[in-house]
Amino acid sequence: MRIPELGFGGGPLGGLFEPLDDATAAAALAAGWDGWIRYYDTSPHYGIGHSERRIGELLRDKPRDEFVLSTKVGRLLVPQDPQGRMDEAFQVPATHRRVWDFSRDGVRRSVEDSLERMGLDRIDILYLHDAEQHFDEALRLGYPALAELRAEGVVEAIGAGMYDVDQLTTLVRETDVDVVMLAGGYTLLQQPALDTFLPACVERDVSVVAAGVFNSGILATSRPDPAAKFDYQTATPDVLQRANRIADICESHGVTVPEAAIAFPLRHPAIKSVVLGMRTPAEVHQNLAAHSAEIPEELWADLARI
């Protein structure tokens, strides 16, 4: 499978941190399609199904062979009375609760539920999601369930979406996965994936999708805000200082930090795609422009020295 180089990340479509109305979400997705984004990634976890539903509403009327779709397994959504509560970090009514389940039956049920929410007949890539605290179960039960679905032709490619590079390296070396989504492990600010994980992917011919390339916000602007987030926590002074140094070097080459942050992972031979979370048409247009920017080779040499 050829994975498009730029993907639309569906986390924000689930109302991550802030509420998001259907009209704005639909406009953002339409802007992505019009800008020739043809890879869409989602998960039941994102807004307890809101992200999958919204992406499905865009894609169900599109030619099926023109896009790549990925979703994830590991959490089943169980209906409940919200009783006025909102859902975790996603600003949607808590109409469902999540139940961890990497078993064969849980994986198959999750796929059926996702297809029903999206109104589509198939998924291209299926990932084990956030399995860090359930890794043994995911490796022992979840991976064989995914491999079975691939053998049956229900999905074309299988893998995992995680941030733990050591566990991902184990998965790549001990199974026959096709593609792995790496969250935040190979960015301008940190490269823990460089030592063992990415070499293992090259050796095993496993494709990598880079997510979290802005490290949850600190690299999303030309100059980091003093209150910027780094991997969902307030950035420390040391991280802010390094981010500002990156901004200085980018500025000296006429490049913005987001432009460099998107381009950097794609320089590695194992990384085939970058997925960016987006929630508004303006964000989509900004990311499309950043992705198409020309980056002088000298920039990378200067960044390597810091």
Side-chain angles (χ1 to χ4, degrees):
M1 175 188 295
R2 181 186 178 277
I3 305 173
E5 192 174 271
L6 182 63
F8 197 122
L13 295 178
L16 182 63
F17 303 134
E18 299 177 14
L20 181 66
D21 62 88
D22 283 344
T24 302
L29 284 162
W33 184 268
D34 291 344
W36 286 96
I37 293 178
R38 292 296 184 267
Y39 174 32
Y40 294 83
D41 174 71
T42 184
S43 168
H45 173 54
Y46 302 154
I48 47 177
H50 276 64
S51 174
E52 286 188 321
R53 174 177 60 79
R54 287 166 166 168
I55 285 178
E57 287 171 356
L58 170 80
L59 296 179
R60 69 176 64 114
D61 294 327
K62 306 300 184 187
R64 187 58 187 87
D65 293 336
E66 288 191 12
F67 63 86
V68 174
L69 171 68
S70 61
T71 193
K72 307 178 181 78
V73 297
R75 296 175 176 93
L76 292 175
L77 304 183
V78 179
Q80 67 177 10
D81 184 349
Q83 297 180 328
R85 291 176 288 108
M86 300 298 280
D87 172 67
E88 296 183 5
F90 296 92
Q91 295 302 298
V92 296
T95 56
H96 294 72
R97 60 185 175 87
R98 299 167 179 81
V99 177
W100 288 102
D101 193 338
F102 287 97
S103 70
R104 178 183 182 274
D105 288 347
V107 166
R108 297 183 81 92
R109 177 183 161 188
S110 183
V111 170
E112 291 174 2
D113 290 349
S114 291
L115 289 172
E116 182 177 354
R117 274 189 293 270
M118 292 186 288
L120 297 169
D121 61 356
R122 76 174 192 269
I123 296 159
D124 298 302
I125 304 172
L126 191 62
Y127 296 114
L128 302 167
H129 195 197
D130 292 343
E132 282 81 2
Q133 304 304 315
H134 309 268
F135 189 66
D136 289 343
E137 182 186 1
L139 192 63
R140 180 171 49 89
L141 301 177
Y143 165 72
L146 263 60
E148 185 178 73
L149 289 169
R150 181 179 59 186
E152 293 172 0
V154 176
V155 298
E156 185 171 350
I158 60 172
M162 298 168 57
Y163 62 82
D164 189 304
V165 294
D166 293 331
Q167 291 176 335
L168 283 174
T169 303
T170 298
L171 185 76
V172 167
R173 286 177 172 165
E174 296 186 6
T175 70
D176 185 29
V177 293
D178 306 292
V179 56
V180 171
M181 179 173 285
L182 173 65
Y186 192 65
T187 73
L188 289 176
L189 275 171
Q190 57 182 11
Q191 300 93 40
L194 194 56
D195 293 335
T196 58
F197 169 68
L198 289 173
C201 291
V202 171
E203 178 184 346
R204 299 278 293 168
D205 195 24
V206 172
S207 298
V208 178
V209 174
V213 298
F214 296 147
N215 286 122
S216 71
I218 193 169
L219 298 177
T221 57
S222 293
R223 182 71 59 175
D225 186 278
K229 298 292 185 182
F230 172 69
D231 290 354
Y232 301 103
Q233 305 293 324
T234 301
T236 64
D238 286 348
V239 171
L240 279 171
Q241 182 179 19
R242 181 173 172 80
N244 275 292
R245 180 63 181 138
I246 290 171
D248 290 339
I249 294 173
C250 288
E251 190 174 287
S252 72
H253 288 277
V255 174
T256 69
V257 171
E259 289 169 352
I262 293 170
F264 172 72
L266 294 168
R267 291 171 55 79
H268 194 283
I271 298 178
K272 309 302 181 184
S273 178
V274 168
V275 165
L276 306 176
M278 295 175 269
R279 61 188 295 125
T280 67
E283 289 182 3
V284 173
H285 295 314
Q286 290 167 6
N287 287 330
L288 285 168
H291 173 249
S292 63
E294 294 187 12
I295 311 293
E297 194 65 28
E298 295 79 12
L299 170 69
W300 307 118
D302 287 349
L303 286 173
R305 297 188 185 102
I306 65 172

